[in-house]
Amino acid sequence: MTMHPLQRVASPSRGLSALIHMLGMVSFMASFSYLHLFPRELHLGFGGAFKFLTIIGLGLALVTFAVALLADLILSPSLFRIKNVLSVCSAPLAVLISTLYWGICAINKNLVVPPDMAIPVLPDVGFHAMPAIMLTLDLMFLSPPWTVKGYGAMTISTTIAFFYWGWVELCFSKNGWYPYPIFDILNTWQRVLLFTFSALLMTGSTMALKWVYGKINSIEKFKKDALRPLKDE
């Protein structure tokens, strides 16, 4: 398989690419194992732990890296392309989750974690930071540049944001309580604003990831070099 000229590290490959994807999967699976070893009341009821956006994002990250690792092991261009498509959703979502979680925690952690449900620092980082770190690492060094445009990113982000809102309300109708305390103190219109802001923030994270990718991989220089022969003619 011919590597994209802007891709820093060979991927799929059984070398560094496979190692990074394996480490990511170990981290994500350890977080899921933590859920089973230390179950909480909020993980019960309709929807289980997947009532939480964090766990949905973690699951999508795990699927993305599982496909990536399989592509590495069998050197499959088709699976590699599927991984890249999944990454367009999973990476910005992971960045959104990390941004919202740590940002709200800086204001008042009780808005996202009930006082009696706090978890130690290491699993907290595993749930709310490692997916963003590993998926960003995969994008920057093991992937070709994204081709998604601003309107496409907004469509994906809005769909995910309001799908999750519908899912949260469905879970509330079955369980009688929300997974995050912040939802209890917001009225309907405030929730509309929250999910609209989240969609905008996820769109921003998509475009920010594209921008950082361009800086790290010198996209502008690549474009100039590609056009130079035409100018010489």
Side-chain angles (χ1 to χ4, degrees):
M1 178 179 177
T2 303
M3 189 173 73
H4 192 282
L6 292 178
Q7 190 175 309
R8 289 297 184 93
V9 180
S11 182
S13 81
R14 294 171 182 152
L16 183 58
S17 178
L19 177 62
I20 291 174
H21 292 138
M22 188 178 300
L23 290 175
M25 283 194 64
V26 168
S27 173
F28 306 153
M29 292 174 70
S31 294
F32 275 112
S33 296
Y34 184 88
L35 292 177
H36 293 288
L37 292 173
F38 303 97
R40 307 297 177 99
E41 289 183 10
L42 288 176
H43 300 158
L44 303 177
F46 182 82
F50 286 94
K51 293 186 292 290
F52 295 88
L53 185 62
T54 296
I55 306 305
I56 294 174
L58 182 66
L60 187 54
L62 179 60
V63 171
T64 301
F65 266 48
V67 173
L69 181 59
L70 185 57
D72 290 327
L73 296 178
I74 66 175
L75 301 178
S76 170
S78 297
L79 288 176
F80 180 67
R81 286 190 290 269
I82 293 173
K83 183 272 293 187
N84 292 330
V85 171
L86 290 171
S87 177
V88 174
C89 296
S90 59
L93 179 59
V95 172
L96 170 69
I97 291 168
S98 291
T99 302
L100 287 176
Y101 179 79
W102 297 109
I104 294 175
C105 283
I107 300 171
N108 184 354
K109 192 170 185 177
N110 292 337
L111 291 174
V112 286
V113 181
D116 57 338
M117 296 291 176
I119 60 176
V121 173
L122 189 59
D124 201 9
V125 170
F127 283 115
H128 301 106
M130 287 305 294
I133 292 171
M134 297 305 297
L135 285 163
T136 299
L137 185 64
D138 171 79
L139 170 63
M140 297 302 158
F141 300 103
L142 305 174
S143 303
W146 285 348
T147 57
V148 62
K149 304 295 184 182
Y151 62 85
M154 174 61 81
T155 300
I156 294 171
S157 301
T158 302
T159 300
I160 291 175
F162 284 90
F163 174 82
Y164 179 65
W165 183 20
W167 171 242
V168 165
E169 294 297 340
L170 175 60
C171 291
F172 177 80
S173 70
K174 302 287 186 179
N175 300 320
W177 43 269
Y178 287 109
Y180 294 109
I182 190 174
F183 292 151
D184 287 312
I185 63 176
L186 300 178
N187 60 36
T188 299
W189 284 109
Q190 289 170 331
R191 291 193 199 110
V192 170
L193 290 175
L194 175 62
F195 283 98
T196 300
F197 171 75
S198 298
L200 291 173
L201 190 58
M202 184 173 169
T203 301
S205 70
T206 302
M207 305 316 291
L209 286 169
K210 284 188 64 176
W211 181 83
V212 174
Y213 184 102
K215 290 298 181 182
I216 290 177
N217 295 284
S218 304
I219 283 182
E220 292 304 319
K221 182 178 182 300
F222 176 79
K223 289 179 179 178
K224 290 178 181 178
D225 291 343
L227 291 173
R228 188 169 296 136
L230 295 178
K231 290 181 178 179
D232 292 341
E233 292 178 1

